[in-house]
Amino acid sequence: MAQVAIFAGVIAALGLVPALQLPAMPVPVTLQSLGVMLAGSILGARKGAASVVLFLALVAIGLPLLAGGRGGLGVFATPSVGFLIGWPIAAFVIGWLTERRGLPYSIGWGVAFNVLGGIIVMYVFGLGGMMLVGGLSVGAATVALLPFIPGDLVKAVLAALIAKPVHASYPGLLRQRMRKQADADVPVA
């Protein structure tokens, strides 16, 4: 539970960095998606997703934890809602893939998992939110996502670069890793 709470705090802390509102963009650029990638990369599927769900629950009850000091149920009625709903799923996908890959943590695979879960999965949900709540067409919502790609690619690399030494220092963070390590320590007759 402490790890879940800590990563909810990490996501909240990354919201202290001011959001960047680009012209004609219905959704601001924030660092909080980096926290989502870190939660999945470091904690794994279940704990990573749980930390994001905890964060979103705190936002829903009114705590101003989103970038720009936003919070409350009203944020779930904005074009950002798709991204918010996609965050726990993105963390789960990243964590699940990371657990399946096993030891040792690979930066290359980590970046690939962050791109798949933290960009592609997140963008699918974000696209839906911008279309449903923002009233954008598929084409307009897709074009609106394009400015996010370079920054999110940098976040995917940063998350992998941060996760590698964390897993080297704490190899028991992921369930799958613990089982594989335990199996490797058992002598075969």
Side-chain angles (χ1 to χ4, degrees):
M1 292 303 281
Q3 293 170 349
V4 169
I6 287 169
F7 272 84
V10 167
I11 298 167
L14 288 169
L16 294 174
V17 177
L20 176 63
Q21 187 68 52
L22 299 176
M25 291 273 301
V27 178
V29 177
T30 73
L31 282 181
Q32 290 183 300
S33 56
L34 172 62
V36 172
M37 291 180 197
L38 286 169
S41 295
I42 293 173
L43 296 181
R46 292 187 318 176
K47 290 188 288 185
S51 68
V52 180
V53 168
L54 173 60
F55 172 80
L56 291 174
L58 295 172
V59 167
I61 63 170
L63 296 179
L65 300 177
L66 290 173
R70 296 174 302 133
L73 288 176
V75 299
F76 295 96
T78 68
S80 298
V81 69
F83 289 99
L84 299 176
I85 291 170
W87 279 359
I89 297 161
F92 184 88
V93 168
I94 294 166
W96 186 83
L97 292 168
T98 302
E99 289 169 356
R100 296 309 164 271
R101 172 72 173 92
L103 290 172
Y105 184 87
S106 162
I107 291 175
W109 282 109
V111 170
F113 300 156
N114 288 326
V115 167
L116 180 62
I119 297 177
I120 295 172
V121 168
M122 206 178 307
Y123 281 23
V124 167
F125 283 90
L127 186 77
M130 290 192 300
M131 289 169 51
L132 293 173
V133 179
L136 298 177
S137 67
V138 175
T142 302
V143 168
L145 286 175
L146 294 178
F148 287 93
I149 293 173
D152 285 339
L153 288 171
V154 169
K155 293 175 203 174
V157 171
L158 280 174
L161 289 172
I162 293 168
K164 172 114 175 127
V166 171
H167 285 299
S169 298
Y170 302 99
L173 282 174
L174 300 175
R175 289 181 3 177
Q176 185 68 21
R177 289 180 187 261
M178 290 189 298
R179 273 196 299 258
K180 284 188 174 187
Q181 186 64 40
D183 292 344
D185 293 339
V186 175
V188 178

